Amino acid sequence: MLRRAATIMTASRPVTLFEKIWLGHLVKSLDDGRDLIFVDRHILQETTSAIAFAGLTRTGRSVLHPEMTIATQDHIVSTEPGRDETTNPQGRELLTLMRHNAYRNRIRHFGVDDPRQGIVHVIGPELGVALPGCVLVCGDSHTSTAGGLGALGIGIGTSEVEHVLATQTLALTRPKTMRITYEGKLQPGTSAKDLILRAIGLFGIAAGQGHAIEYAGEAIAGLPVEARLTICNMSIEIGARLGLIAPDDKTFAYVAGREFAPEGAVLDHALAHWRTLYSAPGARFDKEYTVDCSRIAPQVTWGTTQQDVVGVDDRVPRVDSFPDAARREMAAAAMAYMGVEPGMALEGLPVDVAFIGSCTNARLSDLEAAAAIAKGGKVAPGVRAMVVPGSMSVKRAAEAKGLHEIFRQAGFEWRDAGCSMCVSINEDIVPPGRRAIATSNRNFENRQGPRSRTHLASPAMVAAAALAGHITDIRKADQP
């Protein structure tokens, strides 16, 4: 009945990729205007699951589908090599609760002692838990990362985590649709991180509010899957509920053979369905934007939101260049916090910390891009440089390629997997008043430590800044 209803609803007009997946998971439309949708995969992390499990216990409910749920420790874990659940004392209670709740409810648990442990949004795709066309939820906003595989990755709150555990469904207001088309090809020295930062800078952090974004165009089609995950990860930073990219042969090759991915006849059946996952010709979007890739330089943020961004060869904008009074006020406050001034060049600005990691840019390809810059160089005196793989699987793969030796010889710290300095609820923080350049997705005030200052950039740009001791343009011939 569910599939029949979805077919009837989509037959009258061409539909978008988002609508195809959403309607295929629609259980019913509720009287309050929300849709009740079925959830295929649920990933738990330690900071938002404890209260949800407590709620289940209080109401006498149990986990309906433990086989559709996995749990991992990532936010509060120490990234010190050889760590355990007690290495970061402030995280011990939540880490212990996570493990006990998972075991008690028969949920697969990837703790710090498991070789598959890692950041939720890294291990979901790499384990084959996230699949094209699925609805995947997690109590973390950057669940949108899974959209890089053509999935609906939806970040949810603690009460919703409890609801999904108990019912395997989720009640949500259906997002509107939006498409960002990247015209032209990726320019030399630029990456997926630069593509998404450029869009946020052009359209603002509220442009996608209430929308599901589909990314399209020549540049997007040319990206490898891991780069697509980076694009979709930062959909939240443009205000959207989620972002996704239509799956293709690259996606299908990426998924095949992963631990929890389908195989054999089941995979053949899945592929037949996955190949239908694209926006129909003529499908209408509620919003449409385009980005000219020929005008994208390596991007660096100068302020305290992701829309405060320019090319590395550009300058901090004048406050009066913003037409809106509220935006001018925000810009002035951001400049004061960051210690930058209108008209200042970002290139040459000294940094104290260089952080390569996070769910945005800590996959193998990210580390390879950074290592290509770091090879043969030395971290500048006074700079703390860290590389934190997104998962222990990524760490092993990087070590098999010798990347850890490149980083260590250059003076970078080589850590274990975790959210690390991106979220600063562990021991990895930027000291007060110090300036960091990071591959993270957020640069808010105090994000990486009290009174810390963070500039967002790509892995290659962060590695180059670590060696130079200041923000630098990787396109210049004299760079390592």
Side-chain angles (χ1 to χ4, degrees):
M1 180 63 71
L2 174 58
R3 289 185 178 179
R4 177 177 170 79
T7 301
I8 292 172
M9 294 178 71
T10 60
S12 60
R13 62 176 176 83
V15 297
T16 66
L17 169 59
F18 163 76
E19 292 171 304
K20 284 183 180 182
I21 301 173
W22 185 276
L23 293 173
H25 289 77
L26 180 64
V27 177
K28 66 180 297 187
S29 295
L30 304 176
D31 293 339
D32 63 4
R34 295 180 299 168
D35 285 348
L36 188 69
I37 60 172
F38 184 78
V39 173
D40 298 301
R41 298 287 188 272
H42 189 188
I43 306 183
L44 302 171
Q45 51 97 348
E46 70 272 20
T47 68
T48 54
S49 64
I51 296 175
F53 280 113
L56 290 180
T57 300
R58 186 173 59 253
T59 57
R61 296 188 294 176
S62 59
V63 178
L64 182 63
H65 283 295
E67 75 282 4
M68 295 182 176
T69 306
I70 67 168
T72 190
Q73 298 174 337
D74 64 350
H75 277 59
I76 305 181
V77 297
S78 168
T79 63
E80 182 72 26
R83 78 298 170 72
D84 59 27
E85 287 183 4
T86 69
T87 306
N88 178 29
Q90 71 184 48
R92 183 183 307 171
E93 181 180 3
L94 286 177
L95 295 173
T96 300
L97 276 172
M98 159 73 82
R99 176 163 44 84
H100 288 169
N101 284 325
Y103 291 164
R104 187 179 303 120
N105 290 278
R106 296 171 290 113
I107 293 170
R108 292 185 182 90
H109 178 253
F110 305 133
V112 292
D113 57 345
D114 192 290
R116 296 165 293 185
Q117 179 269 340
I119 304 173
V120 283
H121 316 307
V122 175
I123 70 168
E126 80 178 12
L127 290 176
V129 173
L131 297 171
C134 81
V135 171
L136 181 148
V137 303
C138 173
D140 186 282
S141 60
H142 292 102
T143 307
S144 58
T145 307
L149 295 174
L152 301 190
I154 304 173
I156 58 177
T158 300
S159 62
E160 292 172 316
V161 171
E162 179 182 345
H163 188 272
V164 174
L165 287 171
T167 69
Q168 207 60 35
T169 63
L170 184 62
L172 291 174
T173 299
R174 187 185 305 184
K176 295 180 180 180
T177 57
M178 173 176 162
R179 179 165 58 188
I180 299 178
T181 301
Y182 286 86
E183 298 180 340
K185 297 180 179 180
L186 200 64
Q187 297 301 299
T190 60
S191 68
K193 185 66 162 288
D194 303 302
L195 293 182
I196 189 62
L197 282 174
R198 175 66 171 168
I200 300 169
L202 287 173
F203 311 128
I205 55 175
Q209 189 169 3
H211 290 73
I213 302 176
E214 180 175 342
Y215 301 97
E218 181 182 5
I220 297 297
L223 292 175
V225 170
E226 291 190 349
R228 297 177 186 184
L229 297 172
T230 293
I231 294 278
C232 292
N233 174 273
M234 292 191 68
S235 300
I236 306 308
E237 280 34 273
I238 202 168
R241 189 62 196 259
L242 59 93
L244 72 165
I245 295 169
D248 56 17
D249 287 340
K250 293 180 184 178
T251 316
F252 310 146
Y254 175 91
V255 168
R258 297 190 179 271
E259 183 172 352
F260 297 109
E263 55 187 7
V266 177
L267 176 59
D268 293 338
H269 180 74
L271 280 169
H273 170 60
W274 295 345
R275 294 187 187 281
T276 71
L277 297 177
Y278 54 87
S279 290
R284 295 180 59 186
F285 292 81
D286 296 297
K287 284 186 179 181
E288 290 260 20
Y289 292 103
T290 60
V291 177
D292 180 0
C293 292
S294 70
R295 300 176 62 86
I296 300 178
Q299 302 286 293
V300 182
T301 59
W302 53 263
T304 54
T305 70
Q306 301 84 356
Q307 68 187 354
D308 302 333
V309 65
V310 293
V312 65
D313 53 355
D314 210 337
R315 294 177 178 270
V316 177
R318 300 191 320 272
V319 174
D320 61 10
S321 68
F322 299 104
D324 178 75
R327 181 73 178 95
R328 290 195 293 271
E329 184 177 345
M330 288 176 59
M335 291 177 193
Y337 180 86
M338 291 295 292
V340 299
E341 297 179 356
M344 175 186 289
L346 287 176
E347 190 173 4
L349 189 63
V351 298
D352 304 295
V353 178
F355 169 62
I356 298 169
S358 83
C359 59
T360 311
N361 281 127
R363 297 172 183 83
L364 181 60
S365 56
D366 298 313
L367 304 192
E368 288 175 325
I373 298 294
K375 189 173 184 179
K378 291 291 182 183
V379 171
V383 174
R384 182 188 184 191
M386 301 172 60
V387 180
V388 184
S391 71
M392 293 306 289
S393 294
V394 169
K395 182 173 186 179
R396 289 191 299 275
E399 290 178 345
K401 289 176 171 285
L403 303 188
H404 63 311
E405 293 299 338
I406 292 174
F407 287 123
R408 284 173 173 164
Q409 289 170 12
F412 289 79
E413 298 176 34
W414 180 246
R415 313 283 287 187
D416 277 356
C419 292
S420 185
M421 195 174 280
C422 178
V423 69
S424 71
I425 56 174
N426 44 63
E427 79 274 31
D428 299 342
I429 61 172
V430 177
R434 297 301 179 92
R435 190 177 302 278
I437 184 166
T439 63
S440 309
N441 43 47
R442 290 186 172 162
N443 56 336
F444 306 151
E445 292 186 14
N446 307 307
R447 171 70 178 184
Q448 294 189 282
R451 295 187 288 116
S452 60
R453 295 166 168 170
T454 299
H455 299 270
L456 303 180
S458 70
M461 285 286 290
V462 173
L467 302 188
H470 55 77
I471 295 173
T472 186
D473 190 339
I474 58 172
R475 298 171 301 176
K476 293 188 174 179
D478 59 346
Q479 296 303 319

